[in-house]
């Protein structure tokens, strides 16, 4: 994994060098706007912008490999359910005997799939260009309590850490002759031998982290010194505010019917 216990991919792009809060504001704004825009063309335009940013950061290929696994089944399911069974369906696109597909369901499914694609894209764009420790450190420097910072960092690392631990356990089981690949029945039999050591290892790791924090005096009422500071220009601060202000503006325009 490129970033250890994270999805971070090493790079020197403009997005990689940007302040973590700027990238966070970009992701939050992109997700909120995707679910605020009412039409397919507007969400397509936002998706195109996100794809351009991914290409700029050099993570487009990696993102597509991951996102397709998530988005393809969801999109197919949405297109099937909405196109055939949505109660607002009126206009027939095609009919194969008793099977009828409708335009209204297609449009609803396309909009929903595009919104989910923007959500996944914005989330992975942030994850691929930002180290979890950096976003936590940036928030701590803005006044976030160390306890909340630890909770946030643990939440950001829990999935990559679990996947890495599961991979190590599977490798150990294969070395001992346990079959973990093959038919569905074979995979089901290997599920319990995987889950039990995974849960136990997670509990042990949690206890070890708690002991390490206690030894280091975590939570003591002392003045905290930052390990490093992030370059934060005036342009980035203005951009962050513009991105965040775009959310209530878009909601207001949508409520007034101007979008």
């Amino acid at each position: 994994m490129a970033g250890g216990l994270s999805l971070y991919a090493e790079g020197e792009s403009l997005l990689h060098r940007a302040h973590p809060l700027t990238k966070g504001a970009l992701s939050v704004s992109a997700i909120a706007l995707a679910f605020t825009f009412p039409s397919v063309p507007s969400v397509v335009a936002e998706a195109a912008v996100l794809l351009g940013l991914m290409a700029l950061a050099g993570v487009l290929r990696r993102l597509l490999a991951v996102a397709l696994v998530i988005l393809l089944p969801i999109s197919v399911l949405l297109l099937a359910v909405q196109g055939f069974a949505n109660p607002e369906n009126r206009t027939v696109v095609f009919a194969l005997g008793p099977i009828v597909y409708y335009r209204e369901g297609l449009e609803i499914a396309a909009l929903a799939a595009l919104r989910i694609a923007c959500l996944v894209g914005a989330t992975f764009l942030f994850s691929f260009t930002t180290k979890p420790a950096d976003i936590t450190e940036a928030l701590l420097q803005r006044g976030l309590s160390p306890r909340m910072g630890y909770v946030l960092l643990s939440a950001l690392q829990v999935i990559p850490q679990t996947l890495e631990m599961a991979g190590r356990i599977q490798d150990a089981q294969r070395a001992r002759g346990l079959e973990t690949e093959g038919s569905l029945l074979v995979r089901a039999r290997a599920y319990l031998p995987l889950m039990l050591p995974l849960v136990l290892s997670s509990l042990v790791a949690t206890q070890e982290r708690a002991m390490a924090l206690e030894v280091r005096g975590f939570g003591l009422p002392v003045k905290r010194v930052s390990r490093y500071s992030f370059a934060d220009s005036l342009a980035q601060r203005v951009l962050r505010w513009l991105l965040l202000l775009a959310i209530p503006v878009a909601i207001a325009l949508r409520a007034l019917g101007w979008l």
Side-chain angles (χ1 to χ4, degrees):
M1 190 171 297
L5 296 181
S6 73
L7 298 176
Y8 177 75
E10 295 290 343
E12 295 295 332
S13 68
L14 184 64
L15 273 173
H16 282 85
R17 299 194 303 271
H19 194 282
L21 295 184
T22 302
K23 290 179 281 189
L26 172 63
S27 297
V28 171
S29 179
I31 294 171
L33 292 178
F35 285 86
T36 303
F37 290 150
S39 62
V40 170
S42 56
V43 184
V44 168
E46 180 183 333
V49 173
L50 286 174
L51 287 174
L53 292 174
M54 295 170 199
L56 178 65
V59 297
L60 181 58
R61 181 178 297 179
R62 187 180 183 208
L63 178 98
L64 290 177
V66 176
L68 284 177
V69 177
I70 301 173
L71 295 177
L72 188 58
I74 295 176
S75 300
V76 171
L77 182 62
L78 283 171
L79 290 170
V81 172
Q82 297 292 341
F84 289 116
N86 192 288
E88 298 181 5
N89 288 338
R90 298 291 183 273
T91 308
V92 176
V93 176
F94 66 85
L96 297 174
I99 302 175
V100 182
Y101 197 82
Y102 295 91
R103 177 180 175 181
E104 289 79 7
L106 173 62
E107 293 176 349
I108 293 172
L111 181 59
L114 285 169
R115 285 173 171 170
I116 295 173
C118 288
L119 185 152
V120 172
T123 302
F124 276 110
L125 179 63
F126 177 77
S127 300
F128 287 157
T129 59
T130 311
K131 297 178 181 178
D134 287 350
I135 185 61
T136 305
E137 184 68 24
L139 290 173
L140 290 175
Q141 293 177 10
R142 292 298 192 277
L144 184 70
S145 69
R147 293 183 183 275
M148 288 301 299
Y150 173 72
V151 171
L152 175 61
L153 184 61
S154 299
L156 292 174
Q157 290 182 336
V158 63
I159 294 178
Q161 185 178 30
T162 302
L163 292 176
E164 185 181 39
M165 190 178 300
R168 291 202 303 265
I169 294 172
Q170 278 190 330
D171 291 340
Q173 290 173 338
R174 292 193 190 101
R176 290 170 173 83
L178 179 66
E179 294 185 8
T180 59
E181 297 179 353
S183 65
L184 182 61
L185 181 60
V186 173
R187 293 175 181 269
R189 288 175 179 171
Y191 183 75
L192 184 59
L194 170 65
M195 290 305 299
L196 184 59
L198 181 61
V199 171
L200 293 177
S201 298
S202 300
L203 294 175
V204 172
T206 301
Q207 183 181 17
E208 290 176 349
R209 283 197 298 271
M211 294 173 62
L213 291 173
E214 185 178 357
V215 170
R216 289 171 172 80
F218 183 77
L220 292 178
V222 296
K223 183 178 180 181
R224 186 177 181 277
V225 179
S226 300
R227 294 178 298 166
Y228 49 83
S229 58
F230 301 96
D232 192 13
S233 62
L234 176 62
Q236 289 200 66
R237 293 195 294 271
V238 172
L239 178 60
R240 284 201 296 271
W241 280 108
L242 291 176
L243 288 169
L244 294 176
L245 286 174
I247 300 174
V249 170
I251 294 174
L253 293 177
R254 174 74 182 273
L256 294 172
W258 292 355
L259 280 179

